[in-house]
Amino acid sequence: MKHLYMKMTALAFAALTGTATFSVAQTYPTKPINFIATEVVGSATDIQARIIAKGMAQDLGQPITIENIFGDAGVMKGIKSAPDGYTIMYGGAGTLALLPHIKKVAYDGLKDLTPVGRFSIGATLLAVNPSLPAKNVQELVALMKANPGKLKMSTAGAGTSGHFSGEMFIAMTGVKAEVVHYPGGGPAIDAVVNNDAQWTMAPIAGRLPHVRSGKLRALATGGQTRLSMLPDVPTVAESGYPEYNSVGWAGIYVPNGTPQPIIDRLNAAIVKAVAMPEIKKEFEAQGVEGAASTPAEQAKMLRDDYASIDETAKRIGIGIKN
């Protein structure tokens, strides 16, 4: 009888818990949602987070506020937040798939967060200050070989996707360059615009407006095919380095333990937001394509990129954890 009582109690508790979870999911959200962007204000990450947040908020019926917490600190806050759907986090290929291979971090990109879904994909852009006498990749490589170590490459920080993409370019072309790390994407762009640094290899998001205004000169993009928004700009691959491939993505993650119905509700909001014409237009203006995915698809993309980056980092000799 005692075992039967315990079993019935456990079943009752499970039923009550399930009902509570269902109830929360049915009413969620009932208050504003905090969205952690792991970059500074004005960076590509920040801009994309604000675009998708605006679209999601329309569907969810609650405001989504952006909290900018740079780097590891932002990731750790996302991991340690309550798993109730009221804290979500921007997760990009650089932060979750790349950085753990480049430096020692306090988190495991594969295990410590749960994917909600992807919302954009964008290629890398190789851009220079317009005063630099290089109109294409071959001319830039020749210039750097003639002036070893004198042309500065700006990055949004050590271990970021732009840093990795730039180091991969340096390794494949055999040039020497001074690598300068700035505190975020915005300052890294400004450095090239102001000629404090002469070139950058970084996610196109946030750079495209400067290309269109003439403040930056686009020499190449990092994917295997040209971008529709820059059809006249060749890829690095077709510029003499066929193995070069650098494409990023951005998604939303939540703390482990977040109820599945809440994850599904957030994913549905991403899908609806990405399909909104005004959101699509804003993403395209930043040089990225709105591209939604399921949580499972995003989990697979992260696993695949993690493995691919590990192989590439070891092959070109920059996958050393410090």
Side-chain angles (χ1 to χ4, degrees):
M1 288 293 293
K2 181 178 180 182
H3 291 299
L4 179 61
Y5 172 77
M6 291 176 66
K7 184 176 181 181
M8 291 178 64
T9 302
L11 288 171
F13 178 76
L16 286 171
T17 303
T19 302
T21 300
F22 179 77
S23 176
V24 169
Q26 285 291 95
T27 59
Y28 170 87
T30 59
K31 62 182 181 180
I33 296 169
N34 188 46
F35 189 172
I36 299 172
T38 54
E39 266 273 15
V40 296
V41 175
S43 65
T45 292
D46 175 67
I47 292 169
Q48 286 198 62
R50 292 177 190 278
I51 293 171
I52 193 65
K54 179 170 61 175
M56 290 176 67
Q58 290 182 43
D59 180 61
L60 293 169
Q62 290 288 342
I64 300 178
T65 58
I66 305 299
E67 183 179 14
N68 298 90
I69 307 178
F70 185 72
D72 288 18
V75 177
M76 293 308 298
K77 180 168 182 179
I79 290 170
K80 294 179 179 180
S81 295
D84 56 7
Y86 291 101
T87 297
I88 63 178
M89 193 192 88
Y90 180 109
T95 303
L96 300 180
L98 168 64
L99 196 56
H101 295 295
I102 303 301
K103 59 181 284 189
K104 187 174 290 185
V105 294
Y107 58 87
D108 186 323
L110 294 177
K111 298 177 180 178
D112 291 344
L113 287 160
T114 298
V116 172
R118 186 185 65 240
F119 61 81
S120 73
I121 294 177
T124 299
L125 176 72
L126 170 58
V128 300
N129 183 279
S131 67
L132 204 67
K135 302 297 191 297
N136 53 52
V137 171
Q138 293 88 344
E139 290 180 2
L140 177 63
V141 170
L143 187 63
M144 286 198 284
K145 287 185 174 180
N147 300 275
K150 292 185 179 179
L151 299 186
K152 297 177 180 178
M153 179 187 84
S154 76
T155 83
T160 57
S161 58
H163 178 208
F164 183 80
S165 299
E167 293 283 10
M168 188 161 60
F169 180 80
I170 290 170
M172 287 187 178
T173 58
V175 300
K176 292 182 179 180
E178 181 181 350
V179 179
V180 183
H181 302 302
Y182 290 86
I189 297 172
D190 292 342
V192 181
V193 169
N194 297 329
N195 207 28
D196 295 324
Q198 287 68 52
W199 68 286
T200 187
M201 179 70 86
I204 193 170
R207 279 79 180 168
L208 189 58
H210 294 290
V211 171
R212 288 175 170 161
S213 69
K215 294 179 180 179
L216 292 176
R217 179 188 299 141
L219 300 189
T221 55
Q224 290 292 299
T225 58
R226 295 193 183 195
L227 300 179
S228 60
M229 66 278 294
L230 292 173
D232 297 327
V233 178
T235 65
V236 175
E238 67 181 292
S239 300
Y241 305 95
E243 291 186 358
Y244 192 92
N245 187 35
S246 179
V247 177
W249 47 260
I252 289 177
Y253 287 75
V254 291
N256 291 341
T258 300
Q260 188 62 45
I262 289 178
I263 293 173
D264 293 340
R265 180 69 185 93
L266 287 167
N267 180 264
I270 292 175
V271 173
K272 289 181 181 179
V274 167
M276 294 175 185
E278 66 272 25
I279 299 300
K280 281 190 168 207
K281 187 174 180 180
E282 288 189 45
F283 275 139
E284 288 171 0
Q286 294 301 317
V288 298
E289 177 187 357
S293 77
T294 66
E297 288 168 342
Q298 182 54 27
K300 183 180 185 302
M301 176 170 274
L302 174 56
R303 288 195 305 270
D304 290 348
D305 275 8
Y306 195 94
S308 174
I309 288 170
D310 185 47
E311 187 278 328
T312 301
K314 289 174 180 175
R315 176 163 51 84
I316 65 178
I318 64 171
I320 299 172
K321 297 181 181 179
N322 51 37

